[in-house]
Amino acid sequence: MGTFLFNVFVLLTLVAALGVVVNKNAVNAAMCLLLSLVGVAGLFVALNAYLLAFLLLLVYAGAIVALFLFIVMLLDTRGDARPTLHKLPLVARILAIGLVVAGVASFAARGTLPEPVIAGVPALGASLKLYAYQLFTTYLLPVQILGFLLLIAMLGVIVLSKKFEGLEDIK
Amino acid sequence: MIHATLNAYIVISVALFAIGLLGVLIRRNTLVVFMCLELMLVASTLALVAFSRYNGTMDGNVFVFFILTVAAAEVAVGLAIIVALFRQRQTIQIDQLNTLKN
C-alpha cells in the first residue's frame, strides 16, 4: 500500500510538473503547479517530514499559487498575441529537451549513491520539538536574518507597486 | 517506514529540477518561467529532506524551512516586478522585453 502511494505521488509530481511546462494557458499551468506541489508534499510525508509537508501545502499551495493565480488574472495576457520578434528555433528547443532528458537518464542509470542503512535511523523530521530546538539554538541568527529579509521584501514590494508623484519623468 | 531508496528520491528530485529548468529555457511567458523556477526550488527541497531523512540529521529539514520562507519573499518581490513591468510595457513576453539589446 505504501509503495503504491509512493508511486502515485511520484507520478503526480512529475506529470503535473510537465503540465506546468507544456500548458499554453497560464491559469492551467498554475493549477498544474498546485498538483505537483501536492505530490511533493506526499513525498515529504513518505519521508516522515510531516511539518514540512504541511508547510509546503500551506505556504506554496495556499499562498504562492494563489498569488500566481491572482497576478495571472490581473494581467490577463491573453490579448498579448503580438507577433514575437524571434521564434525560438525548433532545433534549440529540441536540443534543450534532449539535453535535459539525457542528463536525467544518465543520472538515473549510473549515479547510484551508497545506500545508507535506514533501519536504525530515527525520523528526526517527524518531531516538532526538534525544529524548535534547532531554530532557536543553532540557527538563531539565520532566523533573525530571515525576519529582516521578509521585512525588506515587504518594503520592496510596496515601493515597487506604489506610484510616486515626483518620479514620473524617469520614464 | 520507508518505501524507496535514497537513490530513487534523488532521481525524482533531479527529474523535477530538470523539468523546471526545461520550462525556464523554453517558455516565453514570464509568469510561467517564474512558476518553473518555483518547481526547481521545490525539487532542491525534496533532495534536502531525503538526505536529511536517510542520514538521521536535522539540518536539511531546517534548511527546507528557510528555503520555504525565502521562496515566499522571492515570489512576492518577483510578482511585484512583473506587475511593474506589465504597467510599463503592456507585455510580459520575454522576447519582447529587449530594450537592453543592441
Side-chain angles (χ1 to χ4, degrees):
Chain A
M1 184 63 192
T3 315
F4 172 72
L5 273 181
F6 174 79
N7 290 334
V8 167
F9 280 127
V10 170
L11 216 65
L12 184 66
T13 304
L14 295 181
V15 170
L18 271 178
V20 178
V21 176
V22 300
N23 245 318
K24 291 259 181 247
N25 190 342
V27 177
N28 290 349
M31 285 305 173
C32 282
L33 179 64
L34 187 62
L35 270 184
S36 187
L37 292 173
V38 170
V40 175
L43 291 180
F44 278 9
V45 170
L47 285 166
N48 300 108
Y50 307 115
L51 175 72
L52 290 179
F54 184 67
L55 280 182
L56 191 81
L57 284 183
L58 210 67
V59 174
Y60 264 95
I64 291 181
V65 174
L67 210 58
F68 267 117
L69 278 175
F70 183 70
I71 299 297
V72 169
M73 304 280 185
L74 183 74
L75 297 188
D76 189 24
T77 55
R78 267 177 310 168
D80 200 19
R82 280 187 264 170
T84 53
L85 297 178
H86 314 282
K87 288 257 179 260
L88 183 63
L90 194 65
V91 180
R93 196 175 286 209
I94 290 170
L95 205 65
I97 293 173
L99 276 179
V100 165
V101 170
V104 175
S106 69
F107 189 91
R110 270 187 276 162
T112 46
L113 293 163
E115 200 56 43
V117 185
I118 191 64
V121 177
L124 293 181
S127 91
L128 278 178
K129 200 173 160 187
L130 273 173
Y131 283 99
Y133 182 74
Q134 289 280 326
L135 285 178
F136 283 99
T137 54
T138 317
Y139 294 96
L140 186 56
L141 184 64
V143 168
Q144 297 195 357
I145 293 173
L146 220 53
F148 271 105
L149 178 76
L150 286 175
L151 178 69
I152 292 166
M154 192 179 76
L155 290 178
V157 168
I158 292 172
V159 170
L160 273 173
S161 48
K162 189 169 159 55
K163 281 184 176 170
F164 292 101
E165 290 300 319
L167 291 178
E168 293 303 311
D169 51 341
I170 286 177
K171 293 171 190 172
Chain B
M1 198 167 58
I2 281 292
H3 308 292
T5 61
L6 176 58
N7 210 47
Y9 279 107
I10 302 306
V11 168
I12 296 160
S13 167
V14 168
L16 195 57
F17 191 91
I19 291 171
L21 182 64
L22 188 69
V24 171
L25 286 178
I26 71 173
R27 291 304 299 261
R28 293 211 201 88
N29 190 336
T30 316
L31 277 167
V32 179
V33 169
F34 209 35
M35 285 179 208
C36 292
L37 268 176
E38 295 306 312
L39 272 184
M40 288 160 78
L41 268 177
V42 170
S44 66
T45 63
L46 181 61
L48 277 174
V49 173
F51 276 124
S52 200
R53 172 70 184 89
Y54 278 84
N55 288 310
T57 56
M58 198 59 206
D59 303 310
N61 290 330
V62 178
F63 258 90
V64 171
F65 199 85
F66 290 143
I67 290 175
L68 281 177
T69 319
V70 172
E74 175 229 336
V75 164
V77 175
L79 287 178
I81 289 175
I82 290 175
V83 170
L85 201 63
F86 188 78
R87 267 200 211 147
Q88 289 270 341
R89 307 287 303 266
Q90 278 73 49
T91 180
I92 53 168
Q93 301 299 107
I94 282 179
D95 47 1
Q96 289 175 5
L97 303 172
N98 53 2
T99 310
L100 282 177
K101 204 175 174 187
N102 301 324

